[in-house]
Amino acid sequence: MLSVEQLTKIRRDLHRIPEIGYKEVKTQQYLLGQIAQFPQELLTIKKWKTGILVHVKGLDSSKTIGYRADIDGLPIVEQTSYTDFRSTHEGAMHACGHDLHMTIALGVLSYFAHQQPKYNQVFIFQPAEEGPGGAKPMLESAELIEWKPDKIMALHIAPEYPVGTIAIKTGLLFANTSELFITLKGKGGHAAYPHTANDMVVAASHLVTQLQTIVSRNINPLDAGVVTIGVIKGGTKQNIIADTAVIEGTIRTRSIETMKLIKKRIEDLSKGMETGFNCSISIDYGANYCQVYNEESATNDFIEYLKGQESVNLVICDEAMTGEDFGYFLEEIPGFMFWLGVDSKYGLHDARLEPNENAIGFAVQTIVNYLAK
Ligand SMILES: CC(=O)N[C@@H](CCC[C@H](N)C(=O)O)C(=O)O
């Protein structure tokens, strides 16, 4: 079984080579290289695009337990204090903890490669969680269908909790999500002749402001929704009126109905902008993820096990407006996701995220003990 020192080295190696969704070529090679060093007698390995599936033969083949880890990084320029294991891929970073997710999965897998598990296991190293989404196509692939688990689990690091904490709840854990890409097209021109043009920087600014009214004025205050605009781009030079602008964001809701309502409002507001600014607006919803909904009996079984572990600080948490395409696995397979405390001053998607690596050994031990019970 991999030692804590080996696991730390693996996490740092992976941290150096973050790759964006479906470009996880070096990551896949690295993971395959590690898995090749485990005893192979119980293992069967398959590749799926840039992901990997590893089947572990159990003593009893009547059931298969799935464990999923996501493997992609984010387009972020790293600003951590790391000196010797910073990202070597300029403009990419493991800022959502997937380097830890992969390392923990390898740690658990290495244990069961040495120690035959009770039931069959499938370790799923899934690409493109941050977008465009690897879970759904992976679930539909022949590779996964052949080894479809009867029960599944996954974790996500949580910077806000100390190491030793596992936070979980039954039912809704993460939101429904939709990406949002809006392109505004009008007429550009000379900065000194605004009456001859149709400024898309001004139109985009108005639209961003109007989008803020959806949650505050269209969503029942007892429900919840998020419309976050993360990108606004437009124009080429300070003295040229822009003919194009782009707005990019994400929508989060607790229900599909609210997601539909928010999209309808975005479309209505955009139509109004088209008339008001005499421009054309196109909307693309990019990747949509279903909610992460923890199945009651599988989750309660894990919670009961955690209650008996002195090393675990168990938190029954609230749902969060984060998204995760692991929700697609949970739509088809009973199981759960949980938060793993990693005690970082900076949060997920922050260029300064520095998870405490002590969480790795804790997580591997806790999961191994749970699966071996
Ligand atoms: C845990 C986490 O941070 N997940 C991401 C998932 C992104 C979904 C999609 N690309 C989107 O932006 O809607 C999150 O941002 O919650």
Side-chain angles (χ1 to χ4, degrees):
M1 181 179 170
L2 289 168
S3 67
V4 167
E5 292 70 33
Q6 288 170 315
L7 289 166
T8 305
K9 180 179 178 312
I10 288 172
R11 184 263 158 164
R12 294 179 178 191
D13 289 346
L14 288 167
H15 190 83
R16 281 193 195 95
I17 54 163
E19 294 164 301
I20 307 306
Y22 288 126
K23 301 215 162 75
E24 305 96 333
V25 177
K26 287 189 203 167
T27 306
Q28 187 189 47
Q29 277 313 307
Y30 182 88
L31 293 171
L32 287 170
Q34 288 297 325
I35 297 163
Q37 293 171 46
F38 304 159
Q40 298 296 299
E41 293 71 29
L42 304 174
L43 308 187
T44 315
I45 302 163
K46 285 197 258 190
K47 287 201 239 176
W48 179 82
K49 296 186 191 274
T50 46
I52 303 167
L53 294 130
V54 185
H55 186 277
V56 188
K57 187 173 167 26
L59 292 162
D60 174 351
S61 287
S62 65
K63 260 204 276 189
T64 301
I65 312 298
Y67 184 92
R68 177 273 205 172
D70 40 13
I71 69 170
D72 54 321
L74 281 160
I76 289 182
V77 179
E78 180 165 351
Q79 288 171 35
T80 60
S81 63
Y82 301 154
T83 48
D84 48 352
F85 57 95
R86 274 178 98 81
S87 166
T88 55
H89 293 172
E90 189 53 35
M93 177 188 169
H94 274 299
C96 203
H98 300 188
D99 47 348
L100 275 84
H101 299 176
M102 289 184 268
T103 306
I104 292 164
L106 280 179
V108 177
L109 172 56
S110 81
Y111 176 87
F112 288 109
H114 287 87
Q115 200 66 45
Q116 188 165 24
K118 207 182 320 177
Y119 299 114
N120 289 343
Q121 295 175 339
V122 178
F123 288 79
I124 301 161
F125 293 91
Q126 181 217 298
E129 185 275 326
E130 298 291 351
K136 205 161 191 284
M138 207 170 191
L139 266 162
E140 287 160 2
S141 71
E143 289 83 350
L144 196 109
I145 288 169
E146 193 194 345
W147 290 344
K148 193 166 171 185
D150 300 291
K151 204 171 149 180
I152 194 157
M153 63 189 287
L155 65 81
H156 204 293
I157 65 155
E160 66 273 32
Y161 292 118
V163 173
T165 300
I166 289 183
I168 190 166
K169 72 183 284 290
T170 54
L172 185 68
L173 186 74
F174 289 2
N176 296 278
T177 71
S178 170
E179 296 177 346
L180 175 63
F181 301 94
I182 303 180
T183 305
L184 300 92
K185 287 209 161 101
K187 189 168 180 293
H190 194 290
Y193 299 88
H195 53 294
T196 67
N198 190 2
D199 194 337
M200 287 306 102
V201 164
V202 174
S205 309
H206 276 269
L207 185 54
V208 169
T209 309
Q210 288 190 15
L211 294 176
Q212 305 313 306
T213 66
I214 298 175
V215 173
S216 69
R217 284 296 167 265
N218 303 127
I219 304 301
N220 182 334
L222 299 178
D223 188 6
V226 171
V227 179
T228 290
I229 304 303
V231 173
I232 173 163
K233 287 188 280 208
T236 51
K237 197 176 180 309
Q238 112 291 343
N239 62 352
I240 299 175
I241 293 173
D243 63 357
T244 305
V246 171
I247 296 167
E248 297 178 7
T250 180
I251 312 165
R252 309 294 164 100
T253 64
R254 294 162 57 113
S255 72
I256 294 293
E257 292 66 41
T258 307
M259 177 62 76
K260 283 187 189 150
L261 171 64
I262 290 181
K263 287 184 174 175
K264 169 93 175 51
R265 286 301 297 145
I266 291 173
E267 287 151 25
D268 287 350
L269 290 170
S270 299
K271 276 191 202 116
M273 293 301 295
E274 282 183 323
T275 310
F277 280 81
N278 192 23
C279 61
S280 71
I281 298 183
S282 62
I283 302 171
D284 178 354
Y285 293 115
N288 287 232
Y289 294 170
C290 72
Q291 63 190 9
V292 171
Y293 196 89
N294 282 345
E295 194 265 339
E296 191 161 332
S297 115
T299 310
N300 280 331
D301 182 63
F302 188 55
I303 290 175
E304 285 312 310
Y305 155 76
L306 294 175
K307 281 183 183 163
Q309 305 303 303
E310 269 184 27
S311 57
V312 177
N313 171 37
L314 172 65
V315 173
I316 303 299
C317 59
D318 290 328
E319 55 264 45
M321 283 301 201
T322 34
E324 247 283 0
D325 65 350
F326 183 62
Y328 288 114
F329 282 99
L330 294 180
E331 254 190 351
E332 289 198 22
I333 304 164
F336 56 87
M337 169 166 258
F338 64 90
W339 290 110
L340 174 75
V342 294
D343 197 15
S344 165
K345 197 153 83 175
Y346 303 106
L348 300 176
H349 295 196
D350 191 308
R352 297 160 298 176
L353 174 77
E354 291 188 17
N356 183 330
E357 291 170 330
N358 291 333
I360 297 170
F362 163 78
V364 171
Q365 202 54 62
T366 307
I367 297 164
V368 162
N369 291 347
Y370 174 64
L371 292 176
K373 84 176 164 70

